[in-house]
Amino acid sequence: SVLMNTYRSYSTIERDALVRAASNDPTQRVSPEAMRNGLVTTVVNFLTSMRMFLDHTEAELKRRDEHDGSDRFSSWKAACSAEYDDYFAYRFLYRFRNYIQHVGLPLSTMSIHSELGEGGDVTGAVFIGEAPQRLVEEYDGWSTVASELQALSDDIDLSDQIHVGMECLTRIDLPELKQCVETIEQVVGDLEDYQGGPWLVKFTGEPERPLGEMATIDLDRFEAARRIIDAPN
């Protein structure tokens, strides 16, 4: 949920920049420096939450596997490796977060302007990017991504990388997310029209002296998980 919220924050800032760039209303104008600060902040937050999501998920799956003898982690790790191998965006963002942590903030280039379309409509255009050669010169922790960066002649479109990277992260989490949703539905039943807040109670201890553990089901998070599962690829 933290990762999704930081991604939404970035997308909101991006949409706002596009609207402002296309508007002739003086009240819609914002200084380039203020817009840059907002974009830098949301990019940093997204990259931080991306790595936090991956690190926390790894630790949690290992903990669950140790607890019940399952093997959730290996299939999840295989899904991460597949996305890393198949998508430059995932590889780049995974390493880019380290660059930001150890070297400097993102956005070596930024452009916000309006464009006139064929039908006479004015649209906004926003480009936030990084110069690949500068990234390689300033940081040596790119691993195999270094050769890909060196082969690029144009600046990297950070917005494209973030949107594709989020798709990769969603696919990685999908199997575990689906299993969790299916388990809750099997235990509780259909929650679509449920009124109120359902509780789960787990009884432990000796039969003559049972101990109960109670927890609520967050319906908002449950529905968000189900929307991700049901969304088209």
Side-chain angles (χ1 to χ4, degrees):
S1 58
V2 173
L3 176 63
M4 291 294 292
N5 285 337
T6 56
Y7 174 68
R8 291 192 190 102
S9 295
Y10 170 77
S11 298
T12 298
I13 291 279
E14 182 184 40
R15 286 193 299 270
D16 181 63
L18 289 170
V19 170
R20 290 177 182 274
S23 176
N24 291 322
D25 185 352
T27 63
Q28 290 289 314
R29 293 174 185 168
V30 64
S31 71
E33 187 62 25
M35 185 62 69
R36 179 186 179 86
N37 288 340
L39 288 167
V40 167
T41 299
T42 54
V43 169
V44 170
N45 288 344
F46 174 78
L47 293 172
T48 301
S49 64
M50 171 184 171
R51 288 300 298 270
M52 182 190 71
F53 162 75
L54 294 171
D55 292 344
H56 285 193
T57 301
E58 177 176 340
E60 177 65 13
L61 293 180
K62 286 181 176 178
R63 184 191 67 80
R64 294 184 186 183
D65 287 346
E66 183 178 357
H67 176 72
D68 60 16
S70 299
D71 189 20
R72 301 175 181 87
F73 172 71
S74 61
S75 60
W76 177 83
K77 190 65 175 179
C80 291
S81 297
E83 296 296 330
Y84 188 95
D85 292 341
D86 292 344
Y87 291 92
F88 169 79
Y90 185 91
R91 294 191 296 274
F92 171 71
L93 294 177
Y94 189 87
R95 302 290 175 181
F96 189 44
R97 179 264 184 184
N98 294 340
Y99 170 87
I100 288 175
Q101 183 176 15
H102 298 293
V103 180
L105 293 173
L107 271 64
S108 58
T109 59
M110 185 182 79
S111 172
I112 302 176
H113 59 277
S114 60
E115 296 179 346
L116 185 63
E118 294 181 359
D121 297 329
V122 177
T123 60
V126 176
F127 179 82
I128 58 172
E130 287 291 347
Q133 297 304 320
R134 185 179 74 91
L135 296 179
V136 174
E137 291 170 1
E138 294 182 348
Y139 182 59
D140 60 1
W142 293 104
S143 185
T144 56
V145 179
S147 59
E148 295 181 278
L149 294 176
Q150 290 170 340
L152 295 176
S153 57
D154 296 327
D155 285 356
I156 299 168
D157 189 328
L158 283 183
S159 183
D160 282 350
Q161 309 314 312
I162 289 174
H163 292 309
V164 173
M166 190 64 207
E167 293 175 3
C168 295
L169 292 166
T170 301
R171 281 192 296 271
I172 287 171
D173 202 37
L174 204 55
E176 184 69 17
L177 200 63
K178 185 176 181 180
Q179 182 178 358
C180 292
V181 169
E182 289 176 348
T183 299
I184 291 176
E185 289 179 333
Q186 289 172 4
V187 173
V188 181
D190 185 9
L191 291 172
E192 184 173 353
D193 298 320
Y194 195 95
Q195 300 296 320
W199 287 77
L200 292 178
V201 181
K202 176 183 179 182
F203 291 102
T204 59
E206 299 297 329
E208 60 273 10
R209 299 185 63 183
L211 300 174
E213 299 178 6
M214 303 180 66
T216 59
I217 298 177
D218 189 328
L219 292 183
D220 289 338
R221 292 182 67 184
F222 177 81
E223 288 302 322
R226 189 154 60 176
R227 284 195 299 270
I228 292 174
I229 293 170
D230 294 338
N233 294 330

